[in-house]
C-alpha cells in the first residue's frame, strides 16, 4: 500500500475532517496526519483567546459606562445604599460618588478579567489534552497556602469592598477610625488615607478598622459649654446665651451652616468653682467646630455687656495652675 493510500486510510478512520481536507489540498500525508495538532488545535486556541478578549472588552466598556458620571450620579451606584445628598456639599458629594464608582468599577473589571481568562485557560488546556483534575487539586492546595500567607491582605480587600458598598465614609468626611482622626483624602480597597488637624497624613489598613465614627453624614451638633461663676444669675445667663445664639444663627456667616434654632439645654454641670451651661445647635456636617467658635465669641461679648461673671475673676489664675493670685 502506498504512503498516500495509507494516509487516506488513516484519515478515513479519523473523526476530524481536517485530515482529509489537508490531504486533498496538499497531498502531503505527514501534514495531513498532524493537521489537528498543527492547524486545528492552534486555530481553536486562537479563537478562544480572541473570543475571551472580545468578551472582556465588551464587559469592560459596559462597566466603564456604568461607573462614569457625565454630570449625573453613576448608574453603578444606583442599586447601592447612599447617604443623604443634603449631608455634604454638591462638589464633595460628586467627588465621593466618582471615586466610589471608579473603585467599584476597577474591582468589577478585575473580577471579570480573572473569570474570563480563567475559563479561557481551562478550555485551552483541554484542547491540548491536559488532565485538569490533578491541576485543579494542586491549585487548590496552593490557594489555601497563599490564603494563609496573605490573609491580612485578603481581609483588607474584603473590608474595603464592604466599606465601598455600604458607603460608610467618603472623600472629605471627618472620621474617627480609632488610632487616626481626620479628613478622608482617599478611599482605597486596601488603605484609607486621612489627614489630621496637624496636617499629618495617616494610612490606615481597612482590615484594621474595627469601628468608624463619621461626623459628616446627615448633620452634626455644635455643643457649646458656657462656664459662669456661682455669683452670676444662671437663669439670666441662659436667656442671654439663647437669645444671642438665636440671633447670630440667622446672620451670616452662621446662617448657611446652622440648620435649626440653637437650643439651651440648661445647667449641665455644677462644681465647687463653676456652673456650666450647655447650648446645642444642629448644623451642617463638618461645620460644628466653626459654629462652636463663633457662638462662643458672640456669647462671651454678650456676657461682658450683661455683667455675667466668668467662674474666675479677671487676673486670677485657675486653682490647678500651681500659681498664687
Amino acid at each position: 500500500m502506498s504512503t498516500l493510500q495509507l494516509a487516506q486510510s488513516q484519515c478515513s478512520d479519523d473523526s476530524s475532517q481536517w485530515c482529509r481536507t489537508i490531504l486533498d489540498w496538499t497531498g502531503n500525508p505527514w501534514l495531513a496526519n498532524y493537521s489537528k495538532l498543527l492547524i486545528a488545535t492552534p486555530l481553536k486556541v486562537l479563537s478562544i483567546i480572541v473570543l475571551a478578549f472580545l468578551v472582556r472588552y465588551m464587559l469592560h466598556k459596559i462597566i466603564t459606562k456604568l461607573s462614569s458620571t457625565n454630570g449625573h450620579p453613576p448608574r453603578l451606584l444606583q442599586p447601592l445604599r447612599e447617604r443623604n445628598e443634603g449631608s455634604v456639599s454638591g462638589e464633595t458629594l460628586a467627588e465621593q460618588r466618582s471615586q466610589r464608582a471608579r473603585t467599584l468599577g476597577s474591582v468589577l473589571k478585575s473580577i471579570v478579567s480573572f473569570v474570563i481568562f480563567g475559563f479561557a485557560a481551562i478550555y485551552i488546556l483541554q484542547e491540548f489534552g491536559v488532565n485538569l483534575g490533578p491541576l485543579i487539586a494542586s491549585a487548590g492546595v496552593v490557594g489555601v497556602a497563599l490564603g494563609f500567607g496573605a490573609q491580612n491582605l485578603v481581609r483588607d480587600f474584603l473590608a474595603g469592598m464592604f466599606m465601598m458598598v455600604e458607603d460608610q465614609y467618603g472623600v472629605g468626611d471627618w472620621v474617627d477610625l480609632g488610632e487616626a482622626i481626620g479628613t478622608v483624602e482617599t478611599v482605597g480597597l486596601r488603605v484609607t488615607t486621612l489627614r489630621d488637624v496637624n496636617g499629618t497624613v495617616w494610612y490606615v489598613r481597612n482590615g484594621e478598622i474595627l469601628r468608624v465614627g463619621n461626623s459628616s453624614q446627615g448633620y452634626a451638633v455644635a455643643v457649646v459649654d458656657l462656664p459662669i461663676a456661682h455669683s452670676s444669675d444662671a437663669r439670666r445667663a441662659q436667656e442671654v446665651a439663647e437669645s444671642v445664639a438665636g440671633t447670630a444663627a440667622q446672620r451670616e456667616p452662621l446662617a448657611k451652616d446652622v440648620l435649626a434654632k440653637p437650643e439651651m439645654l440648661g445647667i449641665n454641670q455644677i462644681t465647687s468653682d463653676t456652673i456650666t451651661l450647655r447650648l446645642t445647635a444642629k448644623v451642617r456636617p463638618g461645620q460644628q467646630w466653626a459654629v462652636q467658635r463663633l457662638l462662643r465669641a458672640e456669647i462671651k461679648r454678650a456676657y461682658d455687656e450683661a455683667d455675667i461673671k466668668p467662674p474666675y475673676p479677671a487676673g486670677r489664675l485657675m486653682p490647678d495652675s500651681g500659681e498664687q493670685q
Side-chain angles (χ1 to χ4, degrees):
M1 181 180 295
S2 65
T3 305
L4 182 59
Q5 291 175 339
L6 180 61
Q8 290 175 344
S9 176
Q10 292 176 348
C11 287
S12 62
D13 296 335
D14 193 349
S15 58
S16 174
Q17 297 296 322
W18 283 99
C19 180
R20 183 177 296 276
T21 302
I22 296 300
L23 184 62
D24 293 340
W25 284 358
T26 63
N28 189 327
W30 182 87
L31 188 60
N33 289 332
Y34 291 96
S35 59
K36 182 177 180 180
L37 179 63
L38 297 178
I39 300 176
T41 300
L43 285 177
K44 287 184 179 180
V45 170
L46 181 61
S47 63
I48 291 173
I49 294 175
V50 171
L51 181 61
F53 273 98
L54 285 176
V55 173
R56 175 181 177 272
Y57 174 78
M58 292 174 60
L59 292 178
H60 277 210
K61 289 287 289 184
I62 294 174
I63 293 173
T64 301
K65 187 175 182 180
L66 292 177
S67 59
S68 62
T69 55
N70 295 327
H72 302 284
R75 282 178 287 180
L76 184 63
L77 303 181
Q78 291 179 0
L80 304 178
R81 184 183 71 87
E82 191 175 31
R83 68 189 67 184
N84 186 355
E85 293 188 7
S87 62
V88 294
S89 64
E91 182 178 352
T92 302
L93 181 62
E95 183 179 0
Q96 291 174 353
R97 284 172 171 169
S98 177
Q99 186 183 44
R100 188 183 178 203
R102 286 198 309 268
T103 305
L104 290 177
S106 176
V107 173
L108 289 178
K109 288 179 180 179
S110 299
I111 293 174
V112 165
S113 298
F114 178 79
V115 172
I116 292 176
F117 289 143
F119 277 105
I122 291 174
Y123 286 126
I124 290 173
L125 291 175
Q126 287 179 342
E127 288 297 323
F128 287 103
V130 177
N131 187 3
L132 297 179
L135 185 63
I136 293 176
S138 301
V141 173
V142 173
V144 171
L146 290 177
F148 278 110
Q151 55 183 331
N152 288 334
L153 182 63
V154 174
R155 183 172 63 178
D156 293 341
F157 274 90
L158 289 178
M161 277 294 299
F162 281 110
M163 288 177 183
M164 287 287 180
V165 171
E166 296 171 1
D167 197 21
Q168 296 178 9
Y169 53 80
V171 175
D173 286 354
W174 180 272
V175 297
D176 180 353
L177 302 182
E179 295 296 329
I181 303 174
T183 303
V184 178
E185 292 200 338
T186 59
V187 180
L189 284 177
R190 195 181 71 85
V191 172
T192 294
T193 306
L194 304 181
R195 187 179 295 274
D196 64 17
V197 292
N198 298 319
T200 303
V201 177
W202 295 84
Y203 298 92
V204 185
R205 286 173 43 202
N206 294 330
E208 298 295 323
I209 300 175
L210 301 180
R211 53 117 174 122
V212 178
N214 195 331
S215 301
S216 303
Q217 287 189 352
Y219 65 90
V221 176
V223 180
V224 180
D225 287 333
L226 307 167
I228 62 174
H230 280 274
S231 59
S232 299
D233 187 343
R235 183 180 298 275
R236 174 162 170 72
Q238 294 179 51
E239 293 174 352
V240 170
E242 186 172 21
S243 174
V244 170
T247 303
Q250 297 176 3
R251 303 194 309 262
E252 294 296 341
L254 291 179
K256 66 178 183 300
D257 294 328
V258 179
L259 304 178
K261 182 180 178 181
E263 179 182 3
M264 170 57 70
L265 302 183
I267 298 176
N268 185 61
Q269 186 180 23
I270 298 178
T271 66
S272 59
D273 299 310
T274 308
I275 297 176
T276 303
L277 310 179
R278 173 161 290 183
L279 180 140
T280 62
K282 184 177 179 181
V283 300
R284 290 176 55 234
Q287 301 301 316
Q288 58 268 39
W289 301 285
V291 172
Q292 287 170 183
R293 289 191 291 268
L294 290 173
L295 287 179
R296 287 194 189 101
E298 294 289 336
I299 295 172
K300 171 64 169 61
R301 188 180 301 112
Y303 275 5
D304 291 342
E305 295 175 356
D307 197 29
I308 297 175
K309 302 296 184 182
Y312 303 103
R316 176 185 172 187
L317 298 176
M318 296 181 64
D320 60 351
S321 65
E323 297 186 25
Q324 300 295 325
Q325 183 175 355

